Amino acid sequence: MISIAICEDEKIYRDKLKEFLKKILEQKKYNVEEFDNGESFLDRFESDESYRENLNIVLLDIQMDGINGMDVARKIREWNKKLKIIFITAVPDFLADGYEVKAFRYLLKPIGYEDFCRHFGKCLEEIMDNKESSIVINDLNTDKIVVVPTESILFVETYGRNLLVHTEKNVYKIYKTIGSMEKKLDSDTFFRLHRGYIVNISRIESIKGRTAIVAGNEVMISRDKIKELKERVMDYIEKVMR
């Protein structure tokens, strides 16, 4: 089931979004909850772990009374890195801030069905792809077979003759070459930025000199890969902003 939140202080837009969702998702099981301010959404989001972990998409108005949508998004990212955020706004002034919170798309008011359908459809497609995208590994730390969703992988690094697979919650140790791991991971999302590292481009927080910051970790960049990595990051930003 697809779980969606609408956080929008104007009832006319909440109703319109619900109408659009009903039309788009008529053949799918979904659940939608609506909130008329950022405070009530965050109360629900932060207090209910099950809701927080299972929420797939939030349609988030930027300009609301009280806490605004951008600050709500920053709070979301403290708890959940993979939730898809689609901003709704009357002005495009906040576009530059969208990369900070990994926004998926922006929808400009007044919202038309065709525009909503196109962007929401892309978001839904990515969620379904990610649900199906995973790798199976043998974790040497526990001697267990583990199914790891690729979207949860932050980066991979060499560790002697093994690899360490860093995810949001765990670090797995596996016996595999970094070249074979590179072939397993989607080249649109993952990039070999050093002979000993593969990084999830969508998880890069910043680039400082020859270091990429990924979820607080410093990942080394080869001198001959810096330009290409920056281009790949810019491609990702442009995709987010479309």
Side-chain angles (χ1 to χ4, degrees):
M1 178 180 288
I2 302 298
S3 180
I4 303 163
I6 299 172
C7 187
E8 161 66 65
D9 61 357
E10 295 185 75
K11 186 176 186 301
I12 186 172
Y13 280 109
R14 295 199 305 273
D15 291 344
K16 184 181 287 291
L17 290 168
K18 285 189 295 182
E19 176 188 332
F20 289 169
L21 289 170
K22 183 177 181 180
K23 190 172 180 180
I24 292 172
L25 298 171
E26 59 180 351
Q27 301 299 323
K28 297 182 181 294
K29 291 184 178 181
Y30 74 100
N31 176 65
V32 61
E33 290 190 36
E34 57 181 295
F35 304 86
D36 60 9
N37 59 70
E39 288 83 355
S40 61
F41 169 77
L42 286 175
D43 284 346
R44 174 87 161 102
F45 185 80
E46 294 180 350
S47 65
D48 189 333
E49 182 179 0
S50 177
Y51 180 72
R52 185 168 65 241
E53 292 299 317
N54 290 295
L55 187 62
N56 301 116
I57 303 169
V58 57
L59 301 169
L60 181 58
D61 185 19
I62 292 182
Q63 295 171 294
M64 296 184 290
D65 291 334
I67 184 170
N68 65 41
M70 193 60 68
D71 287 335
V72 171
R74 293 187 180 101
K75 287 287 187 181
I76 287 173
R77 288 297 179 239
E78 292 178 10
W79 293 89
N80 189 317
K81 303 295 186 184
K82 63 184 179 180
L83 174 61
K84 303 297 184 188
I85 298 173
I86 298 179
F87 278 128
I88 301 163
T89 180
V91 293
D93 296 355
F94 298 91
L95 290 177
D97 297 321
Y99 181 65
E100 175 193 347
V101 294
K102 301 291 191 287
F104 184 82
R105 290 289 191 277
Y106 281 82
L107 291 173
L108 292 176
K109 297 178 180 178
I111 306 167
Y113 176 72
E114 288 187 5
D115 192 39
F116 179 84
C117 188
R118 182 172 68 256
H119 293 300
F120 186 84
K122 288 286 186 184
C123 184
L124 193 61
E125 182 181 314
E126 188 166 305
I127 288 171
M128 299 311 295
D129 286 346
N130 286 337
K131 283 180 179 291
E132 297 168 1
S133 178
S134 61
I135 58 173
V136 179
I137 63 173
N138 183 6
D139 180 24
L140 299 178
N141 291 320
T142 60
D143 197 28
K144 291 182 179 179
I145 302 297
V146 183
V147 179
V148 180
T150 56
E151 64 173 353
S152 72
I153 297 174
L154 303 173
F155 65 96
V156 179
E157 67 171 317
T158 56
Y159 184 75
R161 295 185 177 181
N162 302 306
L163 297 179
L164 297 180
V165 180
H166 295 257
T167 71
E168 296 168 333
K169 297 181 178 179
N170 297 292
V171 179
Y172 301 104
K173 182 179 176 182
I174 63 174
Y175 182 68
K176 188 179 287 292
T177 66
I178 198 162
S180 61
M181 177 60 80
E182 184 180 14
K183 291 176 182 177
K184 275 183 170 291
L185 297 171
D186 180 8
S187 60
D188 288 336
T189 306
F190 291 88
F191 179 68
R192 179 101 172 254
L193 74 177
H194 184 276
R195 65 183 181 180
Y197 291 96
I198 300 170
V199 69
N200 184 336
I201 294 170
S202 69
R203 299 306 182 92
I204 294 176
E205 297 168 355
S206 62
I207 297 173
K208 300 178 180 179
R210 290 182 55 196
T211 301
I213 308 301
V214 185
N217 298 280
E218 295 186 353
V219 180
M220 188 180 301
I221 311 169
S222 294
R223 183 175 284 104
D224 61 347
K225 294 287 188 177
I226 293 175
K227 183 175 183 291
E228 186 178 358
L229 176 62
K230 289 180 178 179
E231 289 172 350
R232 293 288 298 276
V233 170
M234 289 305 299
D235 287 344
Y236 174 78
I237 294 172
E238 289 177 7
K239 176 185 173 184
V240 167
M241 297 305 180
R242 283 200 297 267

